[in-house]
Amino acid sequence: MQEDGINILGIETSCDETAAAVVAGGKVVKSAVVASQAKLHEKYGGVVPEIASRAHVEKIYPVIKEAMEQAGVGNDDIEAIAVANQPGLTVALVVGVTAAKTLSFAWDKPLIAINHLHAHLQSAIMSADDLELPAAALIVSGGHTSLYDYRSPLEPRLLGSTIDDAAGEAFDKVASILKLPYPGGPSIEKTAADGNPSAVSFPRSMLGRDSLDFSFSGIKTAVLYPCRGQNMKGRNKVDSMSRREIADIAASFQVAVVDVLVKKTQRAVRKIDAKTILLGGGVAANSALRSALQQMCDGMTPARKLLVAPKQYCTDNAVMVASLAYYKFKAGLFADLTLEPKASSS
Ligand code: KG4
Ligand code: ZN
């Protein structure tokens, strides 16, 4: 069989998207199906693990079936089953892991365990023709904000991560303070487009000169001040604010988060002498972040190349899982049927 003909079925259930995809040779997307649970979690302003788990159970079989049908493949055409088993909500991950183990057993195909964060990196490089290494890789999602020294798809080395809130979590919480619709990231981006990013000076937490870790809990609290007053005891004034005022807060918040992400990425680039910068994860869909990183790359001497995940593969999906699995398949890195979900990344 030709290398490119190796079809891998990928499964993703780490948070609130039930996803399956068939990818050939790590690059050719034969199908990509995502069932989003956003509507179910909307009224709670965040993901409710129990609701997520139940919705995955309901959707996992139809989503896998649709991915196989869209790709026009049967089980005989699949070489391996890959699943994100960490990190994420354990009660959500367990649904994908159980489905993948069942198919692996029933179809007698190898099982491949995938780290969800490493898969987000894969979204950024999958369509690249040439990749100059090493790369500094930034993953910004709802659950994680991490910088990696990336020299191969199989062993990205963690350089730093958030010590409290993730960037996406900060977007979601600030959107909720500003009473903007869930999920918060896209709402903040849309609202910020009409605002003045210099209107409010929010703190940029850099955590010391050389730190590659992140902290976003301070900025979230800082957004509460203009909304509740300095003593934080007042009622949320958002209802009486003009659209302009809300847009100004959103734009000022967004630029502060982007500033920190860009500066830390630049530190990582210098530290490892990176030739390329990779950007992935849900917050990578943010246009302000994408263009600020592009500007940073263009302005460095020598200029660096930025590879960003296509927008449809920034948020959780199974294409990135199936694509990364191809490299594990070639390296013979298989899991067995004792595979378990893990809340944190190892
Ligand atoms: O990667 P992802 O789908 O799930 C996790 O692995 O966490 O990321 C979801 C996060 C949410 O916090 C969402 O608000 C954020 O990505 N997000 C955005 C944008 N689109 C999604 N944040 C900022 N701007 C966006 N356009
Ligand atoms: Zn994710």
Side-chain angles (χ1 to χ4, degrees):
M1 162 163 320
Q2 276 185 341
E3 292 262 290
D4 285 354
I6 293 175
N7 290 322
I8 296 185
L9 170 65
I11 297 173
E12 157 63 47
T13 62
S14 65
C15 191
D16 60 343
E17 332 275 356
T18 316
V22 176
V23 177
K27 280 194 185 284
V28 182
V29 179
K30 292 196 163 174
S31 65
V33 180
V34 180
S36 170
Q37 303 173 2
K39 280 264 162 290
L40 296 177
H41 301 290
E42 193 173 17
K43 66 172 178 250
Y44 305 101
V47 177
V48 182
E50 185 60 27
I51 293 175
S53 183
R54 277 167 168 265
H56 284 309
V57 170
E58 197 180 300
K59 291 285 185 209
I60 189 76
Y61 174 65
V63 163
I64 292 174
K65 188 162 178 276
E66 196 181 330
M68 299 282 287
E69 281 170 7
Q70 266 187 22
V73 295
N75 50 349
D76 285 345
D77 307 309
I78 297 289
E79 299 294 321
I81 325 279
V83 63
N85 77 311
Q86 62 168 297
L89 299 169
T90 318
V91 291
L93 287 163
V94 74
V95 179
V97 169
T98 307
K101 290 203 289 192
T102 308
L103 293 180
S104 160
F105 179 71
W107 296 351
D108 195 20
K109 305 286 177 186
L111 178 67
I112 299 174
I114 293 293
N115 179 307
H116 174 87
L117 297 176
H118 299 175
H120 270 304
L121 291 177
Q122 190 62 22
S123 302
I125 59 164
M126 293 184 48
S127 43
D129 293 330
D130 59 344
L131 173 61
E132 248 198 294
L133 296 172
L138 174 67
I139 291 301
V140 265
S141 73
H144 297 84
T145 304
S146 311
L147 271 167
Y148 292 88
D149 175 350
Y150 182 98
R151 286 160 203 261
S152 99
L154 299 180
E155 285 174 62
R157 189 171 67 84
L158 190 64
L159 295 170
S161 57
T162 182
I163 58 167
D164 43 51
D165 292 350
E169 200 177 348
F171 270 91
D172 292 337
K173 286 178 179 166
V174 166
S176 144
I177 296 169
L178 298 178
K179 302 197 174 178
L180 299 172
Y182 176 84
S187 302
I188 295 263
E189 176 169 4
K190 207 163 145 225
T191 309
D194 303 321
N196 171 9
S198 315
V200 190
S201 171
F202 287 125
R204 274 91 164 141
S205 172
M206 297 304 286
L207 298 173
R209 268 180 62 97
D210 301 322
S211 171
L212 292 175
D213 287 329
F214 299 89
S215 166
F216 292 110
S217 67
I219 188 168
K220 177 193 67 191
T221 313
V223 172
L224 277 170
Y225 289 133
C227 301
R228 296 233 171 117
Q230 285 300 322
N231 63 7
M232 304 282 270
K233 292 208 170 108
R235 281 189 39 239
N236 194 335
K237 290 188 287 189
V238 169
D239 287 335
S240 56
M241 281 181 182
S242 67
R243 282 177 60 154
R244 181 66 210 226
E245 279 174 290
I246 293 175
D248 283 351
I249 294 174
S252 303
F253 160 78
Q254 179 173 270
V255 78
V257 172
V258 166
D259 251 15
V260 173
L261 292 171
V262 169
K263 289 204 172 96
K264 295 270 174 168
T265 306
Q266 193 164 30
R267 275 185 191 173
V269 171
R270 295 216 166 97
K271 180 170 177 158
I272 64 166
D273 195 16
K275 307 282 182 282
T276 306
I277 286 89
L278 307 177
L279 174 65
V283 184
N286 187 281
S287 306
L289 174 61
R290 293 162 91 97
S291 54
L293 269 178
Q294 187 60 61
Q295 254 183 12
M296 177 204 94
C297 289
D298 294 345
M300 288 187 86
T301 319
R304 308 304 209 274
K305 187 167 176 185
L306 175 67
L307 293 177
V308 188
K311 284 203 177 177
Q312 77 268 32
Y313 300 140
C314 282
T315 45
D316 290 348
N317 65 88
V319 167
M320 63 189 194
V321 172
S323 172
L324 178 55
Y326 174 69
Y327 298 90
K328 286 197 135 183
F329 182 90
K330 286 213 303 185
L333 296 170
F334 300 115
D336 61 33
L337 294 179
T338 62
L339 183 70
E340 287 190 4
K342 279 183 59 195
S344 53
S345 183
S346 57

